[in-house]
Amino acid sequence: MTKRTQKVLLGVSLTAGIGMPVFGATPPAQGEESAQGEDLSYEVAPPEKGTYLSSWYNQNVTLIGSKDISFGPRPVDDIYLEYEYFGRKGPFELYGYVDIPKVLGIGNSHDSGVWDKGSPVFMEHEPRVSIDELLGRKLGFGPFKEFYVAFDWIYDHGHNRENRGNTLYSGLGTDIETGTRLNLSANLYVRRQWENYGAANENSWDGYRAQLKYILPLGTFDNGASLTYVGFTNVDFGSDLHDKAGPARTANATVATNVLLYSFTHLRLMAVGRYFHNGGQWKDGTELNFGDGPFRARSNGWGYYFGVGYQF
C-alpha cells in the first residue's frame, strides 16, 4: 500500500444527508456519502493521468433525493444538492461535504430550505491527522494499523439561531486489519455542543460518539463500473439532554447507514438505507406539539436516499 492511496467518504448530517469517513492506507476502490445526517468513507483507485482535476484531492457533485429521514421527531423528505471532497496528503486525511437543502423547492410539509426560510447550507467536515506519520514511527499493534487524532464538525446554518446546529466531535481514530477484503475504521469522540436547535444541552460538553465504518468491494463489470458496499454506525451516548429536557429527549441515539455505490470513472449512482433509533435524541412515540397541533414523534425506523453524481 502506498502513501498515495486515496479514500472516499460518504457523509450524512443532521438535516438531510449521507456521508462516509476516511480509512487508512488500503486497497483502492470508489465511494461517497453525506447530506444532513452523518458520514462514511472508503478508498478510491489512483486516478488515471488527466482524468481528474487533482491526483489526490477528489471532488464530486451529487443530486440526492431523501425520504423519511428521522434526525428530528417528524421525518423529512427532501431533494438537495451536495458538494463532497475527500483525499489524503501526508498525515492529513480529509473528508467533507456541503449541502444546499431543498435546492429544487421539493420536499414534504416538514421540510424547508434555501428558498423558503429554511437552512441555506448544511455541512460536515471530518478530518483526521495520522499520529504515526507526525511522529515518524509506526504505533500500530495487533489488528490496529494506524492511529489518528479525529474530528467531526457538523454545522447547519438555519434560518435563525433557534434553527441552527453547531457540533464538534473530537477524539481518536484507528484503522483495523480484518484479514479480508473488508476495510474497517473506528473513531471515539467527545462532543462539544454549541447551537442545537434550541435544545437544553446547548453550549456544553455533552456526551460521546462511537463510530464504526466499513467498506466492502463487491465486484467490477465489463462496462468499467464497480459496485461497493459502504456502511457506518454512529452510537451517541452519555448525553444529559434527557435529564435537562425531559422524557421527549433521550441520552442516546443510533444511526446505521448502508450504501450501495455503483460507479464509473465520473458517473456515480447510489442507493442508501439508513436505520434510526432515537434519531436526533428524540424518543419515538412521544406526544409533542410545536404549535400546529399534537403529533407523535417518529424517530425510529428506516429512511432512504437515492443519488446521481459526477466525480471530477
Side-chain angles (χ1 to χ4, degrees), residues 38 169 191 208-210 234-239 251-254 281:
E38 282 144 30
Y169 294 95
R191 178 170 68 182
Y208 308 89
R209 168 171 286 185
N234 289 333
V235 179
D236 294 316
F237 61 97
S239 170
N252 57 79
T254 300
Q281 290 182 243

Side-chain angles (χ1 to χ4, degrees), residues 84-96:
E84 182 185 39
Y85 66 87
F86 50 89
R88 178 160 179 170
K89 188 76 168 178
F92 300 103
E93 192 175 73
L94 303 178
Y95 171 77

Side-chain angles (χ1 to χ4, degrees), residues 36 78-81 99-103 112-114 119-122:
Q36 303 155 249
D78 189 19
I79 295 179
Y80 59 93
L81 187 67
D99 294 339
I100 302 177
K102 206 175 180 181
V103 67
S112 60
V114 63
S119 175
V121 64
F122 180 96

Side-chain angles (χ1 to χ4, degrees), residues 289-312:
N289 190 334
F290 293 159
D292 54 356
F295 67 96
R296 290 201 173 274
R298 188 276 200 185
S299 54
N300 291 355
W302 286 91
Y304 304 94
Y305 305 82
F306 299 92
V308 179
Y310 184 85
Q311 181 168 293
F312 55 95

Side-chain angles (χ1 to χ4, degrees), residues 13 16 30 34 38 40 43 65 73 79 83 135 157 160 165 168 189 219 231 241 252 262 281 310 312:
S13 318
Q30 274 184 283
S34 116
E38 282 144 30
L40 202 173
E43 304 163 32
I79 295 179
Y83 165 78
L135 297 179
H157 187 68
N160 52 36
L168 177 65
Y189 303 108
L241 186 56
N252 57 79
Y262 185 71
Q281 290 182 243
Y310 184 85
F312 55 95

Side-chain angles (χ1 to χ4, degrees), residues 11-14 34-39 85 95-99 121-128 150-157 164-171 187 189-195 197 209 211 213:
V12 180
S13 318
L14 296 175
S34 116
Q36 303 155 249
E38 282 144 30
D39 158 48
Y85 66 87
Y95 171 77
Y97 62 89
V98 179
D99 294 339
V121 64
F122 180 96
M123 64 178 72
E124 181 169 10
H125 303 281
E126 192 174 3
R128 299 200 305 178
F151 302 94
D152 187 1
W153 177 46
I154 302 172
Y155 180 74
D156 182 2
H157 187 68
R164 190 163 298 151
N166 189 0
T167 307
L168 177 65
Y169 294 95
S170 308
N187 298 305
Y189 303 108
V190 61
R191 178 170 68 182
R192 173 62 183 179
Q193 186 66 65
W194 289 290
E195 292 95 342
Y197 312 101
R209 168 171 286 185
Q211 183 180 75
K213 304 174 181 183

